[in-house]
Amino acid sequence: MKNKTKRILTDIAGYLLILLGISIGWLPGPGGIPAVLAGLSLLSINNLWARRLRDHLLAHGGRVVEILFPKHRPIQILYDLIVILLLVIVGLLAWQRAAIWQIGLAIGLFFLAFLIASLNRDRATRLKKSVAKRKN
């Protein structure tokens, strides 16, 4: 009885984390993705389907970045132009003393621009390598 209760509570917590991640996924920042992954991890303790999905995401998750940000120079330049455009929009919204929803939009666009800029051209990987070199 104790094991069944523990399993049920673990599964409920996993499903609640997934629902929480979906419900807060539209907010600025990475809040939704870690919550969904945490819920999937909890579900993978007791469910084979969740374990298989988790293993698949871990094995093939990096390919998503490769597909979205190919190493073609024109596409990389296009992404850089999109980042600049997003930052200009953020600056205009901040400069105008906009309404609260526009400030929220500006914050979300800023984080989107930061994400695109860090994933384009492997900047995040190069930054990690340079930080690791400085620590050694």
Side-chain angles (χ1 to χ4, degrees):
M1 183 71 172
K2 187 177 182 181
N3 288 337
K4 288 183 181 183
T5 305
K6 185 177 177 181
R7 179 184 174 145
I8 290 170
L9 291 176
T10 303
D11 285 352
I12 289 172
Y15 286 118
L16 287 176
L17 278 171
I18 289 174
L19 290 174
L20 175 71
I22 292 170
S23 66
I24 66 171
W26 61 274
L27 294 173
I33 295 171
V36 170
L37 292 176
L40 186 60
S41 295
L42 281 176
L43 287 172
S44 69
I45 293 171
N46 299 318
N47 299 296
L48 183 60
W49 66 268
R51 191 173 307 125
R52 287 181 184 159
L53 179 59
R54 183 198 64 198
D55 292 342
H56 179 76
L57 289 175
L58 289 174
H60 302 292
R63 288 187 47 196
V64 172
V65 174
E66 293 172 9
I67 291 169
L68 289 176
F69 299 98
K71 296 186 186 230
H72 300 293
R73 184 111 173 112
I75 294 174
Q76 290 175 337
I77 292 171
L78 177 67
Y79 276 122
D80 286 339
L81 292 173
I82 290 171
V83 167
I84 291 169
L85 177 67
L86 288 174
L87 291 175
V88 166
I89 293 170
V90 167
L92 288 174
L93 287 173
W95 182 67
Q96 284 182 327
R97 294 184 179 92
I100 191 73
W101 70 269
Q102 292 171 326
I103 293 171
L105 176 65
I107 292 169
L109 290 176
F110 175 79
F111 282 112
L112 179 64
F114 180 75
L115 177 70
I116 292 171
S118 65
L119 291 176
N120 189 22
R121 300 182 190 198
D122 294 325
R123 289 185 180 118
T125 306
R126 285 187 281 162
L127 181 64
K128 286 179 190 177
K129 287 180 183 178
S130 68
V131 168
K133 284 182 185 178
R134 290 183 184 180
K135 286 184 179 180
N136 293 331

